[in-house]
Amino acid sequence: MSAILSNKTVRIIPGFNLTLGFTLTYISIIVLIPLFCLFLYSTQLSLPGWIKLMSSKQFLIALSLSLTTSLASALLNSFIGLLFAWVLVRYRFCGRKLIDNCIDMPFALPTAVAGIALTAIYAKNGPIGQFFAFKIAYTPIGITLALLFVTLPFVVRTLQPVIADLPREQEEAASILGATPRQTFIYVILPAILPAWLTGFTLAFARGIGEYGSVVFIAGNIPYKTEILPLLIVTKLDQYAYEAASAIGICMLIMAFILLLIMNLIQRRLNRALTKVN
């Protein structure tokens, strides 16, 4: 009887064909078909139209602004998120649960509401903006702040479980063997958290490129100055240039895909290297 049970694979959700069919149908309707239609719609733009759009000054400035602000916010949040995750996992203090719940607020809060709040706070006469000699709202600095708010949970929630699973005995052993805190972090902690850290950075970067709601108010949508790619798409839609808007969307999609692909390859190599070391 025990032999029969051991040879039989027990599955929590039965019916492989049914579940696989449902999965493929769902992902097709929700993800693949809309993306295919976007590709299809963008093909209505002729090749000269594509070249003219991609080489236009407005598109290049918007692309540069999107990449730089997204990269800056992702890099900053990589370090801030690591600090948050480390404090929340390794220390016990009053209000820890409250701070932990606040990390998810950007997920729950409508991004447009966050954008309005940030604009009011960091405007020239706002509660915080009035203390700065330079403008924050309606500048790339304001856009970066909005992206910092939106992308923080991606880094924190990616790192938290990895830090929680990291054995403290390794740090204690390194300390007993004479390693300094810096050496312990570089040679013991960093290799373990690096794949998750890169994942959090990538997710934050990709989300920053496509973020619209929190940026639309604080950016001000000033052409050639604070116009990022999602805002440019809306501008094209307002001008009834649907093919151009689809083409810009395809560019953003390709950038996100390439970014995720590169990070997946890096993660695989890191995991293989770590497996060999262990």
Side-chain angles (χ1 to χ4, degrees):
M1 185 66 180
S2 59
I4 294 173
L5 289 175
S6 62
N7 291 331
K8 185 178 179 180
T9 302
V10 178
R11 293 187 172 87
I12 303 299
I13 301 177
F16 171 72
N17 293 332
L18 180 63
T19 52
L20 180 62
F22 176 79
T23 302
L24 293 177
T25 304
Y26 189 83
I27 199 170
S28 298
I29 294 173
I30 300 298
V31 179
L32 298 180
I33 292 176
L35 293 182
F36 176 73
C37 291
L38 185 65
F39 268 103
L40 199 63
Y41 206 88
S42 66
T43 56
Q44 296 181 16
L45 192 67
S46 63
L47 182 59
W50 271 84
I51 295 172
K52 184 180 178 182
L53 175 65
M54 298 301 152
S55 59
S56 64
K57 184 180 177 182
Q58 189 178 20
F59 174 80
L60 293 176
I61 290 176
L63 176 65
S64 173
L65 185 62
S66 290
L67 291 177
T68 52
T69 53
S70 300
L71 182 62
S73 64
L75 286 173
L76 284 171
N77 264 341
S78 295
F79 295 99
I80 297 169
L82 173 62
L83 182 65
F84 274 40
W86 188 268
V87 168
L88 290 173
V89 172
R90 288 301 176 92
Y91 298 103
R92 295 291 179 269
F93 54 91
C94 181
R96 187 178 69 90
K97 288 289 183 185
L98 179 63
I99 296 175
D100 194 39
N101 290 329
C102 286
I103 297 293
D104 290 328
M105 285 299 289
F107 285 147
L109 189 70
T111 52
V113 176
I116 293 171
L118 290 171
T119 307
I121 292 171
Y122 290 103
K124 195 66 180 175
N125 56 350
I128 297 177
Q130 61 179 322
F131 295 108
F132 290 87
F134 53 87
K135 283 179 64 177
I136 295 178
Y138 314 121
T139 67
I141 300 174
I143 297 172
T144 306
L145 276 175
L147 296 180
L148 280 173
F149 173 81
V150 173
T151 58
L152 178 63
F154 290 94
V155 181
V156 178
R157 294 307 183 212
T158 308
L159 282 171
Q160 268 184 309
V162 180
I163 295 174
D165 290 339
L166 200 62
R168 293 194 180 192
E169 291 78 7
Q170 292 182 2
E171 299 166 42
E172 293 170 357
S175 179
I176 291 171
L177 292 173
T180 62
R182 183 182 175 185
Q183 290 172 328
T184 303
F185 178 79
I186 294 175
Y187 297 109
V188 177
I189 299 173
L190 185 60
I193 67 171
L194 189 56
W197 204 2
L198 286 174
T199 301
F201 167 80
T202 308
L203 292 175
F205 189 24
R207 173 61 189 271
I209 292 174
E211 176 59 22
Y212 173 75
S214 63
V215 180
V216 63
F217 296 105
I218 202 166
N221 198 13
I222 305 170
Y224 305 105
K225 289 185 178 178
T226 60
E227 193 176 45
I228 59 174
L229 285 178
L231 294 177
L232 185 57
I233 290 177
V234 176
T235 302
K236 295 295 181 185
L237 292 174
D238 289 339
Q239 297 170 354
Y240 302 102
Y242 300 124
E243 297 85 0
S246 301
I248 297 170
I250 290 298
C251 289
M252 294 173 64
L253 186 65
I254 292 172
M255 280 192 296
F257 179 77
I258 292 174
L259 191 63
L260 293 174
L261 182 65
I262 291 172
M263 283 303 159
N264 280 331
L265 291 175
I266 293 174
Q267 273 190 323
R268 282 188 183 182
R269 294 204 171 191
L270 281 174
N271 288 331
R272 285 177 187 170
L274 289 173
T275 306
K276 287 181 180 177
V277 170
N278 294 330

